[in-house]
Each structure stands twice: as C-alpha cells, then as structure tokens.
Amino acid sequence: MPTTLYPAKSMNPELRTTAALGKFHAAAQAQPNIALVKYWGKRDVVLNLPTTGSISITLDSLWTRTEVRFVPGQAHDRVSLNGRSDAAETKRVVACLDLLRQRAAVDWGAEVDSRNNFPTAAGLASSASGFAALVRAGAQALDLGLDETELSMLARRCSGSATRSIFGGYVEWTRGRLADGSDSVALPLLPADAWPLRVAVAVTSIAAKQIGSSEGMRHTAQSSPFQASWVATQPADLTTARNAILARDFDALALVSEHSCLKMHALALAAQPGLLYWNGATVECMHCVRTLRRQGVPVFFTIDAGPQLKAVCAPSAIGQVKAALREIPGVLHVLDSGLGAGACVIAIGALEA
Ligand code: PMV
C-alpha cells in the first residue's frame, strides 16, 4: 500500500476539508488519550458499555496513522499493524471493519495499514488511537457521512477508550442509560489550546502486559469487594473533574485525578487474586511526583493498566518533571506530549478499481 498517501504535515487542520478525491480509500490519524477519571468496568460486554463515565485528555505528539481501502469483490481483509500481522489484533480489526461494512451495507474486504509513532507495548492506549483512526478512516472510505458523536459510538464498540480519542483536548465519555448504548458517547469538554497542559510518560517496562484491560475489568467486577463503592462514587469524581477542567483549576484536577487513579488500582488490587499493574519504578515515580508537588511544582500522576506513569503538568514544569523522572532507577525513558486534536482524516485516495 502506498505510504506516500500521508501528507507531510498531518496535523494541518486544513486537511480536514481537503476531502473528496475519491471513494473507498482514506487515511486518518488519531492520538491516544489518558483518563483522569478512569473507566474500569463494563455494563455490557458486547456493546462495550461502561459501568461508569470517564474523563480524559487527548495527546498530540504521539499518533496512530491508519490507511483503509475497501476493495469491491475482495473476500478477505488484510491487516498490517506496524508492518506486521498479528492474529489477535487482526480479529479485533476485522470485527471493527464488520461494523463499518454493516453501516454501508457492503461485503467488501479491506486492506488496512496502521502505524504508531510510539511503542505499542508502552502502555499508552494504542488501542484508543488505533481504533479511533480505523473508524475515522473506514467511515470516510465508505463515505458514511457520520458526525463525531456517531464516530465515537462506533469506536466505542471496537475499544472502549477509543470513543474518547475521536475528540481532542478534554473529553468526557458518558455512561449512558439506554440498553442499546446510543447515549454512551464521547463529548468534548474543553479544547486542548484552552488549557494546554503537558504530559510526561515515564516508561518503566516494555514487556506486554499480562492481563489486558477487558479481562482485568471482568475479573475485578466479579471478585473485588470494592466494586459497589467504585460505581457509587464515580459520579462525584466526574463532577469534580469536569468543574476543575472548566475552571482550569489545576490543584482540584490534580487531587481528583490521583484519587481516581489510586481508587481504580485499589479496586483491582482487592480482586481475588489481586491485579498488580505497578512495578517498583512505578511506585518511585509516584513518590517523585508527590515530592515535586509538595515543593510547589504543578504536577500530578495517573497510571493505567500497566507500569508506566503519566505525569500531567503545567507547561512551565515539563523540563523539571522529565528531568526528575529520568533520574529514577528503572525508568527506561520519558516521552513527552502536549494535548492535541481528535481523530481526523488526513488523506483520501482515488478508487483504483
Ligand atoms: O478501553 P480499554 O480496553 O483501552 O480500557 C482502558 C482502561 C484504562 O486505561 C485503565 C482506563 C481508561 O479510562 O482509559
């Protein structure tokens, strides 16, 4: 597949409007997001509906770029992720393509080529950016004419956290009440440039995680004694975080984000057997961030289902935060990102058939 399809400046917002070169073939870019109020638990496994709402920030300098070409008459899908083919990932991609094909009422096979500019095993929600980019590109290739809310709903079916990467900046994913999931969608809370915080990611292991998030969520809901209080206390955390974001209140956002992160891990730790996603360096990084904050540095941490620590800070603090995290034994490297845009179409190719 032609990699030259990608324009050099993929983040140029004008590219959003340069569509209309052809059909069935498009490329899109999406960025990972990091939850500040965590999603951990599904109320419907098939529709991927969350037990609680969540709030996240979308990053900018880390991305997935995905090219999708539907080929009329082709029976099978061919999927390449970072230049390789992986059976488990291909299965998830094909399930996502099936949803797109169902919408378009076609049965064409597709060629999918997807690349990340960050290590897939770095615990950086590559499934969020991956499926947001896939849905964005696939919907464009089939000319489905979906708005961002509908795209977020489709992305949710493929990977829960992908629903939030459809939007940029600060994003809320609502739990929804309806059984069909039509009210469980992502909503933009604040654009990235309205409060341009930065994120340093301390990578403490590149080993693939042992228990994926879906399995971890199921196991936790079945066996953790804290499940009911996790669900009961989430609405208050969402309100606090939403208000802190709208008021650009860093200290309030720091407190509720660390609280939600630690509460999610306490919930998982209390499962039987307990899920321990941290290593020693993760814990040292948490102490480091807390020490910096006590010294007046505007920074807080959050950690997902893996050992990497994400330190969210004011732009003025990023140098100091990165330098401090790099000093910690066991930190392999520190990535750095600002907040960015939602998934966008970056190119549309002509139909070759
Ligand atoms: O949707 P998944 O399978 O990527 O699960 C995401 C789970 C967490 O990253 C731990 C929390 C979150 O809200 O992103």
Side-chain angles (χ1 to χ4, degrees):
M1 296 183 73
T3 47
T4 48
L5 189 65
Y6 302 126
K9 282 204 158 189
S10 60
M11 289 307 290
N12 181 350
E14 285 170 25
L15 287 169
R16 283 172 179 273
T17 56
T18 58
L21 296 177
K23 284 183 178 173
F24 311 138
H25 191 178
Q29 172 171 319
Q31 287 67 238
N33 69 76
I34 292 173
L36 302 182
V37 177
K38 302 294 185 191
Y39 148 57
W40 195 255
K42 298 177 199 267
R43 69 179 168 96
D44 184 314
V45 177
V46 176
L47 293 177
N48 238 358
L49 297 174
T51 312
T52 62
S54 55
I55 289 180
S56 62
I57 43 179
T58 303
L59 303 183
D60 69 350
S61 55
L62 312 171
W63 47 249
T64 299
R65 290 177 182 170
T66 301
E67 189 180 334
V68 181
R69 184 163 65 106
F70 287 94
V71 186
Q74 179 171 305
H76 301 292
D77 297 316
R78 274 209 298 267
V79 178
S80 162
L81 302 179
N82 292 313
R84 292 209 210 105
S85 175
D86 172 274
E89 286 300 326
T90 296
K91 202 170 155 202
R92 290 184 73 188
V93 169
V94 169
C96 188
L97 292 168
D98 284 343
L99 293 175
L100 291 160
R101 281 188 280 255
Q102 212 177 336
R103 282 275 186 145
V106 298
D107 61 358
W108 310 331
E111 311 273 342
V112 175
D113 185 12
S114 185
R115 283 164 204 280
N116 296 331
N117 74 340
F118 58 94
T120 300
L124 276 163
S126 56
S127 70
S129 53
F131 284 102
L134 177 65
V135 164
R136 194 78 181 82
Q140 180 64 52
L142 291 172
D143 207 10
L144 292 179
L146 303 180
D147 65 19
E148 285 171 324
T149 304
E150 291 168 306
L151 288 168
S152 83
M153 220 185 302
L154 260 184
R156 186 203 76 224
R157 295 283 306 274
C158 310
S159 159
S161 54
T163 191
R164 300 183 306 232
S165 275
I166 293 294
F167 291 99
Y170 300 78
V171 181
E172 179 161 359
W173 172 19
T174 57
R175 175 194 190 276
R177 296 272 147 206
L178 300 174
D180 70 357
S182 53
D183 57 348
S184 181
V185 294
L187 307 164
L189 289 177
L190 195 70
D193 57 3
W195 196 20
L197 297 179
R198 295 196 68 89
V199 183
V201 181
V203 178
T204 64
S205 167
I206 53 163
K209 63 182 158 198
Q210 286 174 350
I211 299 191
S213 44
S214 290
E215 194 191 334
M217 288 179 200
R218 189 178 42 77
H219 176 64
T220 304
Q222 280 172 356
S223 64
S224 177
F226 302 151
Q227 179 69 16
S229 40
W230 165 254
V231 176
T233 55
Q234 194 82 344
D237 291 349
L238 288 166
T239 303
T240 305
R242 198 184 304 118
N243 290 342
I245 288 166
L246 297 178
R248 278 81 146 172
D249 182 339
F250 188 90
D251 293 342
L253 188 60
L255 288 182
V256 71
S257 300
E258 287 192 1
H259 172 63
S260 177
C261 162
L262 292 173
K263 194 163 48 170
M264 179 197 109
H265 285 276
L267 172 73
L269 280 164
Q272 288 175 324
L275 302 178
L276 175 55
Y277 285 109
W278 305 336
N279 58 31
T282 319
V283 177
E284 288 306 323
C285 288
M286 290 155 80
H287 286 301
C288 169
V289 167
R290 288 253 168 118
T291 302
L292 286 171
R293 197 158 75 249
R294 270 198 302 275
Q295 292 165 354
V297 179
V299 59
F300 63 86
F301 65 76
T302 189
I303 305 158
D304 293 305
Q308 331 302 3
L309 177 133
K310 289 103 182 186
V312 182
C313 65
S316 58
I318 187 71
Q320 195 180 352
V321 169
K322 282 175 68 179
L325 291 172
R326 270 200 211 104
E327 290 296 306
I328 295 172
V331 170
L332 306 174
H333 55 272
V334 180
L335 304 170
D336 158 16
S337 178
L339 307 192
C344 65
V345 172
I346 53 176
I348 298 180
L351 176 64
E352 288 169 15

